[in-house]
Amino acid sequence: RKEVEQDPGPFNVPEGATVAFNCTYSNSASQSFFWYRQDCRKEPKLLMSVYSSGNEDGRFTAQLNRASQYISLLIRDSKLSDSATYLCVVTPGGSYIPTFGRGTSLIVHP
Amino acid sequence: GAVVSQHPSWVICKSGTSVKIECRSLDFQATTMFWYRQFPKQSLMLMATSNEGSKATYEQGVEKDKFLINHASLTLSTLTVTSAHPEDSSFYICSATLTGDPADTQYFGPGTRLTVL
Protein backbone atom coordinates (compact mmCIF):
# COMPACT_ATOMS: atom_id res chain seq x y z
CA ARG A 1 0.00 0.00 0.00
CA LYS A 2 1.32 3.42 -0.91
CA GLU A 3 2.03 5.77 1.95
CA VAL A 4 -0.22 8.50 0.63
CA GLU A 5 -2.92 7.78 -1.91
CA GLN A 6 -5.11 10.05 -3.94
CA ASP A 7 -7.60 9.47 -6.70
CA PRO A 8 -5.85 11.01 -9.72
CA GLY A 9 -9.15 12.01 -11.33
CA PRO A 10 -9.68 14.08 -13.32
CA PHE A 11 -12.69 15.48 -11.57
CA ASN A 12 -14.62 17.37 -14.21
CA VAL A 13 -17.20 19.72 -12.67
CA PRO A 14 -19.21 22.74 -13.77
CA GLU A 15 -18.69 26.17 -12.30
CA GLY A 16 -20.51 26.58 -9.03
CA ALA A 17 -20.36 22.92 -8.13
CA THR A 18 -19.12 21.53 -4.85
CA VAL A 19 -16.36 18.96 -5.11
CA ALA A 20 -14.51 16.93 -2.52
CA PHE A 21 -11.26 15.01 -2.61
CA ASN A 22 -9.95 12.48 -0.16
CA CYS A 23 -6.42 11.42 0.59
CA THR A 24 -5.57 8.34 2.62
CA TYR A 25 -2.33 7.76 4.49
CA SER A 26 -0.87 4.59 5.85
CA ASN A 27 1.27 5.78 8.78
CA SER A 28 -0.97 6.16 11.80
CA ALA A 29 1.71 8.21 13.55
CA SER A 30 1.61 10.94 10.90
CA GLN A 31 1.58 14.37 12.43
CA SER A 32 1.36 17.07 9.79
CA PHE A 33 -1.06 17.30 6.92
CA PHE A 34 -1.34 19.77 4.09
CA TRP A 35 -3.11 20.45 0.84
CA TYR A 36 -1.10 22.06 -1.94
CA ARG A 37 -2.25 23.25 -5.30
CA GLN A 38 -0.10 22.84 -8.41
CA ASP A 39 -0.85 24.47 -11.71
CA CYS A 40 0.52 23.04 -14.92
CA ARG A 41 4.27 23.54 -15.20
CA LYS A 42 4.40 25.48 -11.95
CA GLU A 43 5.57 24.77 -8.42
CA PRO A 44 3.18 23.59 -5.70
CA LYS A 45 1.68 26.32 -3.59
CA LEU A 46 0.38 25.81 -0.08
CA LEU A 47 -3.39 25.85 -0.03
CA MET A 48 -3.97 25.04 3.61
CA SER A 49 -2.71 23.08 6.55
CA VAL A 50 -5.08 20.50 7.97
CA TYR A 51 -5.68 20.56 11.68
CA SER A 52 -7.36 17.99 13.87
CA SER A 53 -10.30 20.29 14.39
CA GLY A 54 -10.64 20.93 10.69
CA ASN A 55 -10.22 24.31 9.12
CA GLU A 56 -11.94 26.53 6.63
CA ASP A 57 -10.62 29.23 4.37
CA GLY A 58 -13.30 30.87 2.27
CA ARG A 59 -14.64 28.27 -0.14
CA PHE A 60 -12.16 25.64 0.99
CA THR A 61 -12.64 23.30 3.93
CA ALA A 62 -10.13 20.71 5.07
CA GLN A 63 -10.85 17.88 7.47
CA LEU A 64 -8.72 15.27 9.17
CA ASN A 65 -10.05 11.87 10.18
CA ARG A 66 -7.38 10.14 12.21
CA ALA A 67 -9.47 7.06 12.94
CA SER A 68 -9.87 6.30 9.26
CA GLN A 69 -6.54 7.86 8.30
CA TYR A 70 -7.63 10.27 5.66
CA ILE A 71 -7.83 13.96 5.01
CA SER A 72 -10.34 15.68 2.81
CA LEU A 73 -10.62 18.89 0.87
CA LEU A 74 -13.99 20.39 0.02
CA ILE A 75 -14.30 23.17 -2.53
CA ARG A 76 -17.59 25.01 -2.68
CA ASP A 77 -18.83 27.19 -5.53
CA SER A 78 -16.06 26.05 -7.87
CA LYS A 79 -14.45 28.66 -10.08
CA LEU A 80 -12.71 28.16 -13.40
CA SER A 81 -9.52 29.28 -11.66
CA ASP A 82 -9.75 26.34 -9.28
CA SER A 83 -8.68 24.04 -12.12
CA ALA A 84 -5.39 22.55 -10.99
CA THR A 85 -3.85 19.49 -9.41
CA TYR A 86 -4.38 19.21 -5.67
CA LEU A 87 -1.60 17.50 -3.77
CA CYS A 88 -1.96 15.89 -0.39
CA VAL A 89 1.15 16.02 1.79
CA VAL A 90 1.68 14.02 4.95
CA THR A 91 4.65 14.14 7.29
CA PRO A 92 5.08 10.94 9.27
CA GLY A 93 5.62 11.08 12.96
CA GLY A 94 9.27 11.04 13.96
CA SER A 95 10.34 12.37 10.59
CA TYR A 96 10.32 15.75 8.97
CA ILE A 97 10.44 14.32 5.48
CA PRO A 98 7.13 14.88 3.73
CA THR A 99 5.35 12.37 1.56
CA PHE A 100 3.38 13.62 -1.40
CA GLY A 101 0.37 12.04 -2.95
CA ARG A 102 0.28 11.84 -6.73
CA GLY A 103 -2.30 14.58 -6.86
CA THR A 104 -5.93 14.87 -7.91
CA SER A 105 -6.68 16.75 -11.09
CA LEU A 106 -9.64 19.13 -11.02
CA ILE A 107 -11.13 20.65 -14.15
CA VAL A 108 -13.83 23.25 -13.70
CA HIS A 109 -15.72 24.02 -16.90
CA PRO A 110 -18.16 26.80 -17.78
CA GLY B 1 6.90 36.26 3.80
CA ALA B 2 8.37 32.78 3.28
CA VAL B 3 9.53 33.32 -0.27
CA VAL B 4 11.84 30.85 -1.96
CA SER B 5 13.62 31.65 -5.19
CA GLN B 6 15.37 29.43 -7.67
CA HIS B 7 17.85 30.27 -10.35
CA PRO B 8 17.88 29.71 -13.22
CA SER B 9 14.21 29.25 -14.04
CA TRP B 10 15.11 27.28 -17.12
CA VAL B 11 18.26 25.98 -18.74
CA ILE B 12 19.12 24.17 -21.93
CA CYS B 13 22.47 22.46 -22.11
CA LYS B 14 24.42 19.93 -24.12
CA SER B 15 24.83 16.38 -22.97
CA GLY B 16 27.86 15.97 -20.72
CA THR B 17 27.83 19.43 -19.19
CA SER B 18 27.14 20.21 -15.56
CA VAL B 19 24.33 22.46 -14.43
CA LYS B 20 24.06 24.24 -11.10
CA ILE B 21 20.70 25.25 -9.67
CA GLU B 22 20.43 27.63 -6.73
CA CYS B 23 17.68 27.68 -4.16
CA ARG B 24 17.40 30.63 -1.79
CA SER B 25 15.08 31.46 1.05
CA LEU B 26 14.70 35.20 0.66
CA ASP B 27 13.14 36.39 3.85
CA PHE B 28 13.69 33.60 6.33
CA GLN B 29 16.25 31.12 7.51
CA ALA B 30 15.48 27.62 6.37
CA THR B 31 16.09 24.75 8.71
CA THR B 32 15.88 22.22 5.97
CA MET B 33 15.75 22.33 2.21
CA PHE B 34 14.41 19.66 -0.07
CA TRP B 35 15.12 18.93 -3.69
CA TYR B 36 12.48 17.36 -5.89
CA ARG B 37 12.23 16.28 -9.49
CA GLN B 38 9.02 16.08 -11.45
CA PHE B 39 8.57 14.49 -14.86
CA PRO B 40 5.59 15.48 -17.02
CA LYS B 41 2.25 14.33 -15.62
CA GLN B 42 3.95 12.62 -12.71
CA SER B 43 4.10 13.41 -9.03
CA LEU B 44 6.91 15.15 -7.24
CA MET B 45 9.77 12.83 -6.43
CA LEU B 46 11.93 13.69 -3.45
CA MET B 47 15.59 13.48 -4.38
CA ALA B 48 17.33 14.60 -1.23
CA THR B 49 17.03 16.45 2.03
CA SER B 50 19.69 18.89 3.08
CA ASN B 51 20.44 20.66 6.30
CA GLU B 52 22.84 23.55 6.56
CA GLY B 53 26.37 22.47 7.28
CA SER B 54 25.83 18.76 6.90
CA LYS B 55 25.77 16.24 4.09
CA ALA B 56 22.57 15.78 2.20
CA THR B 57 20.48 12.69 2.71
CA TYR B 58 19.62 11.13 -0.63
CA GLU B 59 16.56 9.07 -1.38
CA GLN B 60 17.00 5.54 -2.60
CA GLY B 61 17.90 5.40 -6.25
CA VAL B 62 19.27 8.94 -6.43
CA GLU B 63 22.99 9.02 -7.23
CA LYS B 64 24.74 11.36 -4.85
CA ASP B 65 27.76 11.67 -7.15
CA LYS B 66 25.55 12.76 -9.99
CA PHE B 67 23.37 15.16 -8.06
CA LEU B 68 25.67 17.16 -5.83
CA ILE B 69 24.02 19.16 -3.10
CA ASN B 70 25.73 21.90 -1.14
CA HIS B 71 23.88 23.62 1.66
CA ALA B 72 26.31 26.39 2.48
CA SER B 73 24.09 28.57 4.62
CA LEU B 74 20.65 28.78 6.14
CA THR B 75 19.43 30.62 3.07
CA LEU B 76 21.16 28.86 0.19
CA SER B 77 21.27 25.34 -1.16
CA THR B 78 22.62 24.34 -4.56
CA LEU B 79 22.00 21.29 -6.70
CA THR B 80 24.55 20.45 -9.38
CA VAL B 81 23.57 17.96 -12.04
CA THR B 82 26.93 16.61 -13.18
CA SER B 83 27.47 15.29 -16.68
CA ALA B 84 23.85 15.82 -17.56
CA HIS B 85 22.18 13.53 -20.08
CA PRO B 86 18.84 13.78 -21.86
CA GLU B 87 17.18 11.52 -19.29
CA ASP B 88 18.00 14.16 -16.65
CA SER B 89 15.69 16.59 -18.40
CA SER B 90 13.03 17.41 -15.86
CA PHE B 91 11.48 20.05 -13.64
CA TYR B 92 13.62 20.49 -10.53
CA ILE B 93 11.96 22.14 -7.55
CA CYS B 94 13.37 23.03 -4.18
CA SER B 95 11.49 23.72 -1.01
CA ALA B 96 12.40 25.05 2.39
CA THR B 97 10.89 24.70 5.81
CA LEU B 98 10.71 27.71 8.02
CA THR B 99 12.16 27.49 11.49
CA GLY B 100 9.36 27.85 14.00
CA ASP B 101 6.65 27.75 11.36
CA PRO B 102 3.68 25.48 11.99
CA ALA B 103 5.39 22.18 11.81
CA ASP B 104 6.76 21.07 8.51
CA THR B 105 5.16 23.62 6.22
CA GLN B 106 7.11 23.70 2.99
CA TYR B 107 7.54 26.69 0.77
CA PHE B 108 8.46 25.89 -2.79
CA GLY B 109 10.69 27.68 -5.22
CA PRO B 110 9.31 28.35 -8.71
CA GLY B 111 11.27 25.45 -10.16
CA THR B 112 13.97 25.06 -12.77
CA ARG B 113 13.16 23.42 -16.06
CA LEU B 114 16.21 21.56 -17.35
CA THR B 115 16.45 20.38 -20.93
CA VAL B 116 19.49 18.37 -21.92
CA LEU B 117 20.06 18.03 -25.63
Side-chain angles (χ1 to χ4, degrees):
Chain A
R1 181 183 174 185
K2 293 180 182 176
E3 290 185 56
V4 178
E5 292 199 60
Q6 292 182 254
D7 181 345
F11 285 63
N12 208 318
V13 304
E15 271 187 287
T18 295
V19 62
F21 313 133
N22 280 346
C23 166
T24 59
Y25 60 93
S26 60
N27 187 334
S28 60
S30 296
Q31 295 183 340
S32 303
F33 309 88
F34 306 90
W35 283 103
Y36 281 79
R37 170 199 169 122
Q38 186 175 24
D39 293 289
C40 187
R41 299 172 70 86
K42 298 282 189 180
E43 78 279 17
K45 292 188 186 296
L46 179 66
L47 183 63
M48 55 202 311
S49 304
V50 188
Y51 303 118
S52 297
S53 56
N55 46 310
E56 185 174 314
D57 183 3
R59 299 182 292 109
F60 299 85
T61 302
Q63 299 274 357
L64 167 63
N65 186 318
R66 284 193 182 274
S68 301
Q69 293 182 206
Y70 74 86
I71 64 172
S72 63
L73 177 67
L74 180 78
I75 305 175
R76 289 180 297 278
D77 189 23
S78 298
K79 311 290 185 191
L80 295 177
S81 57
D82 293 334
S83 299
T85 296
Y86 290 83
L87 300 168
C88 164
V89 181
V90 176
T91 303
S95 166
Y96 54 84
I97 299 175
T99 301
F100 280 76
R102 292 194 63 180
T104 297
S105 175
L106 172 65
I107 301 170
V108 182
H109 59 81
Chain B
V3 177
V4 177
S5 71
Q6 266 184 257
H7 178 79
S9 54
W10 59 270
V11 58
I12 301 173
C13 68
K14 292 182 179 179
S15 187
T17 58
S18 293
V19 176
K20 180 188 274 189
I21 302 170
E22 291 187 352
C23 176
R24 292 181 186 272
S25 55
L26 296 185
D27 50 1
F28 67 100
Q29 292 188 327
T31 312
T32 303
M33 288 185 170
F34 300 91
W35 285 97
Y36 295 86
R37 181 166 56 179
Q38 187 174 36
F39 294 105
K41 298 189 178 181
Q42 293 191 24
S43 61
L44 287 168
M45 187 194 84
L46 180 64
M47 299 176 68
T49 304
S50 80
N51 292 295
E52 182 262 343
S54 61
K55 289 184 180 180
T57 302
Y58 290 81
E59 294 300 298
Q60 193 171 13
V62 179
E63 300 174 58
K64 62 180 181 181
D65 294 329
K66 178 161 183 70
F67 300 99
L68 301 177
I69 292 172
N70 185 352
H71 197 149
S73 74
L74 283 171
T75 60
L76 173 64
S77 177
T78 61
L79 167 68
T80 301
V81 183
T82 61
S83 187
H85 288 96
E87 59 266 28
D88 298 323
S89 298
S90 188
F91 189 42
Y92 292 85
I93 313 174
C94 73
S95 71
T97 52
L98 170 60
T99 305
D101 194 75
D104 311 318
T105 303
Q106 290 188 77
Y107 299 92
F108 285 86
T112 297
R113 199 160 298 280
L114 170 64
T115 302
V116 185
L117 302 176

